[in-house]
Amino acid sequence: MEIQARWMRGGTSKCWVFESEELESQSSTVDEVLLRAFGSPDARQLDGVGGGTSTTSKAVIISPSDDPDIDIKFSFAQIGIEEAKVDWGSNCGNCSATVGLYGIETGLVKPDADVTRIRVLNENTNQVIVQSLETPDGKLLESLTETMPGTKFAGHKVVLGFTNPEGKTTGALFPTGNKTDQIEIDNRVFSVTLIDAGAPVALVAAKDFGLAADNYEDWASTISMQLEVLDGIRRRASVLMGLSDSPAAAARAIPKIGVVDPSTDDDSDLKILMLSMGKLHPAIPVTGSVAISKAILEEGTVAFSDSARPESLRILTPVGVIETKVSKDDFATEIGVVRTSRTIADAKLFLPEDDSVSNRIEVA
């Protein structure tokens, strides 16, 4: 079978973008098609287009919108690498940054000003994201100069505005009703903030691992030896947040988890190290940054910083400082994040029809 797709970088992730009609017209299920296209299950994803890491094994599925208030709808899929599993439980903010650009490039959206605002609905979370791209004279910029931490090359600047992101998955900003909970793993007690904004996220106090903001350079080596403990915390958090009935049933992609400590210097408000699919994240998930931005401003969370300013929040990650902003008026709260995006290739993917993975699929 043949499937048309577009390869795009969004933020610090690479995503294959499909149109829903293209996937649904195949004889196999969407999950089967995606797994075979990405070459899963296989640690190297050798026989597919996956990159062998959580940040390069992602898919975006575009759908037209009948809603006059929404320009494009999309779903996000995290493709398992070593397991035949497609996780539909969350959104990826980095991959979200590809949707508006895709819409303009393919004619789904017509630029209407020097800055085109595209109203996008993520169907995983029912989250509206307003995407703004520069389109002087009604055209995308030909020369790309916008850069961001975690990338080597420039792209189109995409401003993502997450509108009223609180509780989209669980129904509440703090699903347990507490700003900090205690989770016990192997006779160790961890202070954890469980928050749902952009995506469900568990934020663990760095001090519980013997870490602090002033020794951030040691975090990666220490946390890399505590991945099983962190996954245990994440799975317990899933139950407390109402995302699963048991730790064993917790999805791989949510809740996201990170280790945090408010900064003691003037260069950032918070220092964080996050995980993605059980491994250290090279930067930070954008949807995670939305939840973190809310937590920084909420007294009583493990991320609270009394010196932070909503109009310019600075989050230190392994690749540098990521800036977000929180704005609020009488109608909505919006959390803004700047990403970059660009198209890498258009491709026709060829999938053999005689080696189905249907007997090995677990749908999240």
Side-chain angles (χ1 to χ4, degrees), residues 146-162:
E146 189 73 20
T147 59
M148 57 166 283
T151 64
K152 297 291 185 182
F153 301 101
H156 293 279
K157 179 180 179 180
V158 185
V159 180
L160 303 176
F162 289 77

Side-chain angles (χ1 to χ4, degrees), residues 160-183:
L160 303 176
F162 289 77
T163 304
N164 291 333
E166 302 90 346
K168 293 296 185 183
T169 301
T170 65
L173 177 62
F174 297 104
T176 66
N178 305 316
K179 293 186 178 180
T180 298
D181 288 281
Q182 306 298 314
I183 293 180

Side-chain angles (χ1 to χ4, degrees), residues 51-126:
T53 69
S54 65
T55 56
T56 57
S57 191
K58 300 181 175 186
V60 170
I61 296 92
I62 301 284
S63 301
S65 173
D66 296 327
D67 185 339
D69 294 326
I70 299 296
D71 298 306
I72 303 176
K73 299 187 297 183
F74 80 100
S75 296
F76 168 73
Q78 180 75 54
I79 315 301
I81 298 173
E82 298 178 12
E83 55 186 344
K85 184 175 181 179
V86 179
D87 195 322
W88 299 92
S90 66
N91 182 28
C92 169
N94 280 304
C95 284
S96 298
T98 66
V99 177
L101 179 59
Y102 181 93
I104 294 174
E105 289 183 335
T106 60
L108 291 174
V109 174
K110 184 178 180 180
D112 56 6
D114 286 344
V115 175
T116 299
R117 287 169 56 87
I118 305 162
R119 297 159 300 180
V120 170
L121 175 68
N122 172 249
E123 296 185 285
N124 305 73
T125 60
N126 201 35

Side-chain angles (χ1 to χ4, degrees), residues 22-317:
E22 184 82 11
L23 288 177
E24 293 166 0
S25 66
Q26 307 301 322
S27 57
S28 301
T29 67
V30 171
D31 292 75
E32 290 173 343
V33 171
L34 290 174
L35 285 165
R36 188 61 187 89
F38 278 74
S40 299
D42 175 13
R44 295 181 296 167
Q45 292 182 316
L46 184 63
D47 204 42
V49 298
T53 69
S54 65
T55 56
T56 57
S57 191
K58 300 181 175 186
V60 170
I61 296 92
I62 301 284
S63 301
S65 173
D66 296 327
D67 185 339
D69 294 326
I70 299 296
D71 298 306
I72 303 176
K73 299 187 297 183
F74 80 100
S75 296
F76 168 73
Q78 180 75 54
I79 315 301
I81 298 173
E82 298 178 12
E83 55 186 344
K85 184 175 181 179
V86 179
D87 195 322
W88 299 92
S90 66
N91 182 28
C92 169
N94 280 304
C95 284
S96 298
T98 66
V99 177
L101 179 59
Y102 181 93
I104 294 174
E105 289 183 335
T106 60
L108 291 174
V109 174
K110 184 178 180 180
D112 56 6
D114 286 344
V115 175
T116 299
R117 287 169 56 87
I118 305 162
R119 297 159 300 180
V120 170
L121 175 68
N122 172 249
E123 296 185 285
N124 305 73
T125 60
N126 201 35
Q127 172 70 63
V128 175
I129 308 170
V130 179
Q131 305 192 6
S132 300
L133 288 91
E134 295 181 21
T135 52
D137 299 322
K139 297 180 181 179
L140 286 166
L141 294 171
E142 293 184 5
S143 178
L144 305 181
T145 59
E146 189 73 20
T147 59
M148 57 166 283
T151 64
K152 297 291 185 182
F153 301 101
H156 293 279
K157 179 180 179 180
V158 185
V159 180
L160 303 176
F162 289 77
T163 304
N164 291 333
E166 302 90 346
K168 293 296 185 183
T169 301
T170 65
L173 177 62
F174 297 104
T176 66
N178 305 316
K179 293 186 178 180
T180 298
D181 288 281
Q182 306 298 314
I183 293 180
E184 183 175 345
I185 299 289
D186 297 333
N187 297 316
R188 298 167 62 186
V189 178
F190 298 88
S191 296
V192 185
T193 290
L194 306 178
I195 186 167
D196 177 12
V201 176
L203 300 175
V204 189
K207 63 181 178 62
D208 293 337
F209 289 96
L211 301 170
D214 57 5
N215 65 353
Y216 185 69
E217 65 277 3
D218 299 329
W219 285 26
S221 59
T222 298
I223 295 303
S224 64
M225 296 185 291
Q226 301 279 337
L227 296 180
E228 289 189 10
V229 173
L230 274 163
D231 192 57
I233 296 171
R234 194 189 67 79
R235 291 179 178 276
R236 297 283 180 86
S238 176
V239 177
L240 290 173
M241 299 176 86
L243 298 169
S244 64
D245 294 330
S246 68
R252 289 282 286 167
I254 57 167
K256 302 178 187 299
I257 190 166
V259 177
V260 301
D261 198 38
S263 292
T264 54
D265 54 50
D266 296 329
D267 298 326
S268 61
D269 300 304
L270 182 79
K271 298 184 180 181
I272 187 165
L273 185 63
M274 294 199 74
L275 273 63
S276 176
M277 303 294 282
K279 298 180 181 179
L280 297 181
H281 195 290
I284 186 174
V286 171
T287 49
S289 74
V290 173
I292 295 160
S293 298
K294 292 289 291 185
I296 290 174
L297 300 172
E298 293 280 347
E299 188 171 0
T301 72
V302 299
F304 174 67
S305 172
D306 56 8
S307 62
R309 296 173 299 152
E311 65 272 15
S312 180
L313 299 173
R314 301 158 302 159
I315 305 167
L316 181 65
T317 76

